[in-house]
Amino acid sequence: MNDYPTNARVEYAFACMATNGQTRDMLDRCSCAIDRIAEVLPYADYVGAETILRMRQTTGERSGMFRGMAALTETVATLRRAEAEAEIICF
C-alpha cells in the first residue's frame, strides 16, 4: 500500500534509527520496516493505533478508556503483528 505520506515514513525511520543506531545500514532496515508495515496496515489504521498507544501512556480517566476497549486493543494488536513481521523481514 502506498497511502502513507512521506513525512510519516520519515518520522518512523527517524524514531527507529534513534532507538537502533544512526547508521546507513539502520536507515535501510528502518525504511524496510515501515514499508512492510504499510503493506499490512492502511495508513488510517496505523495513525489510529499510534494514537491509542500514545493515549495509553497518559494518566487519568481518559487513558483508561484507551486501555479497556476491545476494538482499540485489536487495532494495536494489528500494528504489533505488522511490526513483528517487519522485524523478522528487515532486521
Side-chain angles (χ1 to χ4, degrees):
M1 235 179 210
N2 197 19
D3 65 340
Y4 282 52
T6 301
N7 63 341
R9 290 176 185 263
V10 171
E11 181 180 10
Y12 181 93
F14 280 167
C16 175
M17 290 175 66
T19 302
N20 296 299
Q22 303 285 331
T23 66
R24 174 62 197 206
D25 179 55
M26 203 49 63
L27 172 62
D28 292 341
R29 291 174 186 269
C30 292
S31 296
C32 171
I34 191 60
D35 289 345
R36 297 292 174 225
I37 292 167
E39 288 177 4
V40 174
L41 199 64
Y43 182 65
D45 293 347
Y46 172 80
V47 170
E50 286 291 326
T51 301
I52 293 163
L53 290 171
R54 284 191 179 99
M55 291 304 295
R56 285 180 176 178
Q57 293 176 354
T58 63
T59 58
E61 187 177 319
R62 289 185 183 149
S63 68
M65 293 176 5
F66 289 91
R67 288 189 193 96
M69 296 179 70
L72 300 180
T73 300
E74 181 57 34
T75 300
V76 170
T78 302
L79 173 60
R80 295 291 188 222
R81 284 190 296 272
E83 289 174 331
E85 182 179 319
E87 175 106 10
I88 291 166
I89 293 169
C90 302
F91 290 87

